[in-house]
């Protein structure tokens, strides 16, 4: 055989000196050309020969194994998952129990979701709603780095409204509901505050600890442009964005979390008095956002109809969802009284007024059923 096709069988003693020799031989000869001989639990070839005979020694040499290459994935390590997919179908991701979004998306960890939309379109509100549903339905805990929701107590108040379904304040939410919301949020939602160091590395370092200590499965970064090192000259800015998005993708996969990133678009021109729906390519700074996203999501608020619409502009893997196909895909109603969303209705009504009216009517009906002596 030519020298570059030679394979080396390394059969050294299984003691400290032998193992050090083995590592040095592998380093010099190249791991791709080396095979490791083991002795079926015995210290060396002589022990195996004396105890089990020449046949066993020959068998050990025949069954010598390749050295796993760094970074290589052996198919046998994923066989069980592959077999499960073969029998049960490709995974579709977890659902929220909320039809307007569930019809479009299934959520999966190890993914980067990039959210965008014009100012005041409700991006942060909808992400909070999704975070709560992921937690309530699937047990996913969320960590936030969200300067746009500062101070944190206001953010917690918004989450409490969505959780309880009532406005925040003692005139709307009673003390028991307030305490229940506080306890629940304290156990399931966590907040990152890196005032002195807002680089991506610093924020991800805290998030990594929250993965280990708190078991978070969802990280929200809102927004990207509040991080340090996102500006600069055009070419350098684009390079910074590429590097940062690569870090986010790697972090999401390595730590098996869903990472939701908010990235603002550049100024959107008006068309017939209304700003058009942005695209992923409108995000300020780089065209890399579309390329790197597993989910590309645009939040748009139809102010005249008081409706919010989620436009899914990218789902990297078809088993996890689809883009909008009809004009009603992703449409939902936003309730400003409690921050919740619901399926769209034909005629919009003031939900807070309607809720009070329903409560008053229910109270009147209850009184009418009471005995006259009450």
């Amino acid at each position: 055989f030519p020298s570059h096709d030679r394979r080396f069988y390394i059969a050294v003693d299984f003691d400290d000196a032998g193992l050090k020799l083995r590592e040095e031989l592998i380093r010099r000869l190249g791991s791709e050309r080396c095979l490791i001989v083991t002795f079926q639990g015995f210290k060396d070839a002589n022990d195996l020969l004396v105890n089990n005979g020449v046949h066993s020694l020959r068998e050990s040499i025949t069954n010598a194994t390749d050295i796993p290459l760094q970074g290589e994935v052996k198919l046998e390590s994923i066989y069980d998952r592959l077999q499960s997919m073969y029998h049960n179908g490709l995974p579709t991701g977890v659902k929220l129990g909320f039809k307007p979004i569930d019809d479009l998306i299934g959520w999966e960890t190890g993914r980067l979701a990039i959210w965008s939309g014009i100012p005041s379109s409700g991006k942060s509100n909808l992400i909070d709603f999704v975070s709560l549903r992921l937690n309530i339905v699937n047990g996913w805990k969320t960590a936030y780095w969200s300067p746009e929701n500062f101070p944190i107590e206001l953010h917690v108040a918004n989450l409490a409204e969505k959780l309880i379904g009532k406005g925040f304040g003692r005139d709307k939410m009673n003390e028991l509901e307030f305490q229940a919301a506080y306890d629940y949020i304290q156990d399931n939602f966590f907040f990152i505050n890196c005032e002195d160091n807002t680089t991506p590395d610093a924020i991800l370092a805290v998030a990594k600890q929250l993965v280990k200590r708190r078991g978070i499965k969802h990280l929200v970064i809102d927004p990207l442009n509040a991080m340090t090192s996102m500006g600069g000259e055009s070419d350098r800015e684009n390079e910074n964005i590429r590097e940062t998005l690569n870090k986010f993708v790697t972090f999401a996969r390595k730590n098996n979390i869903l990472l939701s990133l908010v990235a603002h678009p550049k100024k959107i021109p008006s068309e017939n008095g209304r700003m058009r729906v942005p695209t992923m390519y409108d995000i300020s700074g780089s065209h890399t956002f579309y390329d790197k996203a597993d989910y590309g999501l645009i939040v748009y608020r139809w102010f005249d109809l008081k409706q919010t619409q989620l436009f899914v502009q990218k789902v990297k893997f078809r088993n996890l969802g689809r883009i909008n196909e009809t004009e009603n895909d992703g449409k939902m109603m936003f309730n400003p009284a409690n921050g919740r969303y619901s399926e769209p209705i034909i005629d919009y009504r003031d939900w807070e007024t309607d809720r009070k009216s329903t409560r008053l009517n229910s109270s009147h009906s209850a009184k009418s059923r009471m005995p006259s002596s009450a």
Side-chain angles (χ1 to χ4, degrees):
F1 292 100
S3 60
H4 63 272
D5 288 333
R6 290 177 184 170
R7 304 299 302 275
F8 298 97
Y9 288 75
I10 301 178
V12 298
D13 292 356
F14 270 53
D15 55 20
D16 287 344
L19 294 177
K20 287 180 181 178
L21 174 61
R22 185 176 78 180
E23 294 305 314
E24 183 63 15
L25 289 171
I26 291 171
R27 187 177 75 85
R28 297 194 184 195
L29 298 173
S31 60
E32 70 280 2
R33 296 197 292 168
C34 293
L35 294 159
I36 300 298
V37 178
T38 58
F39 303 116
Q40 303 176 23
F42 292 97
K43 173 181 171 293
D44 54 31
N46 185 64
D47 279 355
L48 176 61
L49 180 63
V50 170
N51 285 277
N52 287 0
V54 68
H55 174 75
S56 292
L57 180 58
R58 185 180 294 113
E59 186 179 67
S60 289
I61 296 172
T62 301
N63 294 331
T65 58
D66 287 315
I67 298 169
L69 301 178
Q70 187 175 5
E72 180 190 16
V73 176
K74 292 284 190 180
L75 280 183
E76 55 263 30
S77 69
I78 63 169
Y79 179 79
D80 290 345
R81 283 178 287 170
L82 190 64
Q83 187 182 50
S84 176
M85 289 167 54
Y86 170 76
H87 287 291
N88 303 314
L90 297 176
T92 57
V94 302
K95 300 293 186 177
L96 306 179
F98 181 63
K99 183 175 172 58
I101 296 179
D102 288 348
D103 284 349
L104 293 171
I105 294 176
W107 305 92
E108 189 173 72
T109 53
R111 304 295 179 198
L112 174 63
I114 297 180
W115 300 71
S116 193
I118 59 178
S120 301
S121 57
K123 298 183 292 295
S124 297
N125 254 318
L126 187 55
I127 291 173
D128 281 352
F129 180 76
V130 169
S131 298
L132 275 165
R133 300 294 305 184
L134 283 172
N135 178 258
I136 292 167
V137 177
N138 303 287
W140 290 17
K141 297 180 179 182
T142 294
Y144 288 94
W145 182 77
S146 185
E148 293 202 344
N149 281 304
F150 190 84
I152 291 173
E153 52 266 31
L154 290 180
H155 195 177
V156 173
N158 288 334
L159 289 170
E161 288 186 338
K162 291 177 175 61
L163 184 63
I164 300 298
K166 296 181 180 180
F168 191 82
R170 63 181 183 178
D171 58 329
K172 305 178 184 69
M173 186 184 298
N174 65 43
E175 184 73 25
L176 287 175
E177 291 168 332
F178 163 75
Q179 194 60 48
Y182 174 82
D183 292 342
Y184 191 89
I185 292 168
Q186 183 181 44
D187 290 341
N188 294 282
F189 296 86
F190 308 94
F191 302 88
I192 299 171
N193 185 12
C194 299
E195 291 183 344
D196 298 328
N197 187 350
T198 59
T199 62
D201 288 341
I203 293 161
L204 293 179
V206 178
K208 185 174 182 178
Q209 293 303 310
L210 290 171
V211 171
K212 293 180 177 180
R213 295 188 183 186
R214 310 298 185 203
I216 67 163
K217 299 192 77 172
H218 184 208
L219 172 64
V220 177
I221 294 177
D222 181 10
L224 175 66
N225 64 356
M227 287 184 166
T228 305
S229 79
M230 286 298 103
E233 298 295 328
S234 178
D235 289 344
R236 184 56 196 160
E237 181 186 19
N238 290 341
E239 182 60 29
N240 286 339
I241 290 171
R242 277 193 293 272
E243 291 175 0
T244 299
L245 294 181
N246 284 333
K247 288 179 180 179
F248 290 161
V249 169
T250 300
F251 186 87
R253 292 176 181 172
K254 187 174 181 179
N255 293 279
N256 196 29
I257 65 163
L258 171 68
L259 197 159
S260 287
L261 172 68
V262 177
H264 295 315
K266 58 192 176 185
K267 187 175 181 179
I268 304 297
S270 296
E271 298 177 357
N272 299 321
R274 168 186 288 280
M275 283 186 281
R276 64 169 172 79
V277 178
T279 72
M280 295 289 290
Y281 292 106
D282 288 318
I283 298 176
S284 181
S286 176
H287 292 293
T288 311
F289 291 98
Y290 184 90
D291 297 333
K292 295 296 182 182
D294 292 299
Y295 304 93
L297 310 168
I298 303 293
V299 181
Y300 191 78
R301 182 170 291 171
W302 300 90
F303 288 97
D304 52 344
L305 299 176
K306 301 187 184 300
Q307 288 182 334
T308 295
Q309 189 164 8
L310 179 65
F311 288 91
V312 180
Q313 295 189 348
K314 180 183 179 182
V315 182
K316 189 172 184 179
F317 300 97
R318 67 182 185 275
N319 53 295
L320 295 177
R322 61 179 178 85
I323 62 173
N324 299 55
E325 296 172 350
T326 72
E327 64 177 17
N328 290 320
D329 275 346
K331 280 187 177 179
M332 61 197 90
M333 304 298 296
F334 175 68
N335 184 351
N338 59 22
R340 286 183 173 181
Y341 294 83
S342 72
E343 294 186 37
I345 53 179
I346 298 174
D347 296 318
Y348 179 83
R349 296 169 294 171
D350 185 332
W351 287 0
E352 176 63 11
T353 301
D354 184 60
R355 187 174 67 84
K356 290 179 179 178
S357 174
T358 301
R359 186 169 65 244
L360 289 172
N361 290 336
S362 298
S363 175
H364 176 75
S365 298
K367 289 179 180 178
S368 67
R369 292 192 298 269
M370 290 181 182
S372 58
S373 59

